[in-house]
Amino acid sequence: MFSREPNKVSLHLSHTAALAILWGESVYRDRYARQYLQRLDLSEGQVLMESCNAICPWYSEIIVNRKFYIRKLLEQYYRRAKGAFQLIILAGGADPLSLEALDRFGDKLDRVIEVDITDFTAKQYVMTDIAPELAKHIHFIQADVRDRELMKKLEVFADYDPEKPAFIVAEGLSYFLCKIELERLLFEFSSAKKHNMFVMDYLLSDMHIGAEYVSIPRQIVEAVMSYISDMPSHYHYQSYSPDEITRMYENNNCYTSCFYPQSIMEHCRKGIYAYFHPDNDGWVALSAGNV
């Protein structure tokens, strides 16, 4: 929902949407991203964040690392691009990556498409109010990423061009999609010239998580779900080994698939191993490959 005052647009976020922004707040340094954050009402996420911080006080490091590295990979893709390209953000929620990317890479990035199952109206209003010249290049599509008609909707309603290179961000998706649904997304965005880059984060299976960290993701998920739901239940989320993800890319004729654990992302961001190191890489990894 959103409220609009004279000459000002504001956006009230739900518990989980606010939590994601609060956790990743330090990575939003772009001028428009900062202006955008100032328009957000994040109050719904404060108590939830405190509950999660009681489990792991530095949990935000996981979110900041992955957001930082996604932006780094996008910058690398931009530098290698010989011409115009597209940015596709799947289930982007309230994240301001669209504005950041257009502000930094607008000489080559000529189209951004955001897909989310929730209504984008409020976000669109805020972005247009802050940066109208950039926002006009952002196309918002309300759809479920599992929709078998998704690609047709992107082409019809957002002018997605399958012949033009695209950088696809699937952040926070793999936990809630089954393996077949995730593979279908990779297949749908595959290109004959392998000029698309598909980036996603994923939860590592228990055997790939250090003993002292293995219970943290489960406790965080339980804390979040119990806070937003009155129904007692066991919450299942998908996890993978790096080899499973590599095979998933290879099954869709991806000629290169890269594995980025937390230690790599953190060291690139900070220049040190603070919370993660090669012998204990945490529980969330990032993958990227040309499809």
Side-chain angles (χ1 to χ4, degrees):
M1 61 180 294
F2 70 96
S3 59
R4 191 170 190 180
E5 302 172 5
N7 302 317
K8 185 176 181 181
V9 181
S10 59
L11 173 58
H12 178 81
L13 299 186
S14 67
H15 306 89
T16 51
L19 177 64
I21 295 294
L22 286 167
W23 267 338
E25 193 170 7
S26 65
V27 85
Y28 305 126
R29 298 177 179 177
D30 174 85
R31 53 177 176 166
Y32 291 121
R34 299 306 303 178
Q35 291 179 43
Y36 171 82
L37 258 64
Q38 290 172 5
R39 300 290 187 90
L40 303 183
D41 177 359
L42 304 173
S43 57
E44 292 284 350
Q46 292 289 347
V47 174
L48 181 54
M49 184 173 69
E50 291 171 8
S51 298
C52 293
N53 285 347
I55 298 168
C56 180
W58 44 267
Y59 191 88
S60 62
E61 291 292 307
I62 288 277
I63 310 302
V64 173
N65 284 344
R66 83 182 187 196
K67 288 185 178 296
F68 165 83
Y69 216 82
I70 287 171
R71 284 156 174 77
K72 177 180 175 62
L73 292 172
L74 175 57
E75 181 178 5
Q76 291 175 349
Y77 187 83
Y78 158 77
R79 294 186 184 282
R80 291 194 299 265
K82 294 181 172 59
F85 70 96
Q86 307 163 99
L87 171 62
I88 316 299
I89 304 173
L90 303 175
D95 193 285
L97 177 59
S98 293
L99 286 184
E100 295 175 89
L102 285 165
D103 187 34
R104 294 188 62 193
F105 313 129
D107 57 321
K108 293 181 183 178
L109 177 58
D110 63 356
R111 181 175 306 279
V112 179
I113 302 173
E114 290 204 37
V115 181
D116 203 282
I117 199 168
T118 58
D119 186 2
F120 272 118
T121 307
K123 185 177 184 180
Q124 187 172 12
Y125 266 122
V126 173
M127 287 187 164
T128 300
D129 194 51
I130 292 169
E133 288 303 309
L134 298 182
K136 69 183 182 182
H137 296 287
I138 306 173
H139 300 260
F140 296 94
I141 300 294
Q142 186 174 3
D144 191 325
V145 297
R146 294 168 294 189
D147 188 346
R148 291 180 177 271
E149 299 293 313
L150 177 62
M151 301 309 293
K152 182 183 294 184
K153 290 180 179 179
L154 295 188
E155 292 182 36
V156 172
F157 299 112
D159 292 332
Y160 171 69
D161 184 355
E163 299 301 317
K164 182 184 292 186
F167 187 93
I168 301 100
V169 178
E171 183 183 5
L173 267 181
S174 66
Y175 316 101
F176 310 107
L177 300 181
C178 69
K179 185 177 180 180
I180 293 176
E181 293 167 338
L182 200 55
E183 286 188 315
R184 186 186 303 129
L185 277 176
L186 275 166
F187 172 77
E188 293 287 4
F189 282 106
S190 296
S191 60
K193 297 179 181 179
K194 302 302 170 193
H195 57 203
N196 291 347
M197 174 71 75
F198 193 98
V199 178
M200 67 177 178
D201 59 313
Y202 62 96
L203 179 68
L204 289 163
S205 50
D206 286 358
M207 65 181 297
H208 293 88
I209 304 175
E212 67 261 44
Y213 288 165
V214 72
S215 67
I216 295 178
R218 181 177 63 254
Q219 290 181 66
I220 293 291
V221 170
E222 292 290 340
V224 171
M225 297 307 294
S226 63
Y227 186 86
I228 65 177
S229 174
D230 295 328
M231 299 295 291
S233 179
H234 174 71
Y235 302 102
H236 176 72
Y237 42 87
Q238 297 291 331
S239 62
Y240 300 92
S241 70
D243 287 343
E244 285 180 295
I245 294 295
T246 296
R247 286 195 297 272
M248 195 179 298
Y249 276 82
E250 290 175 348
N251 289 342
N252 288 280
N253 299 315
C254 174
Y255 67 80
T256 175
S257 176
C258 298
F259 167 63
Y260 303 103
Q262 287 291 322
S263 61
I264 287 179
M265 292 187 277
E266 179 182 66
H267 196 273
C268 181
R269 175 177 152 238
K270 293 184 171 183
I272 60 171
Y273 297 119
Y275 296 96
F276 308 100
H277 52 83
D279 294 328
N280 198 348
D281 269 319
W283 53 93
V284 171
L286 198 65
S287 64
N290 289 99
V291 295

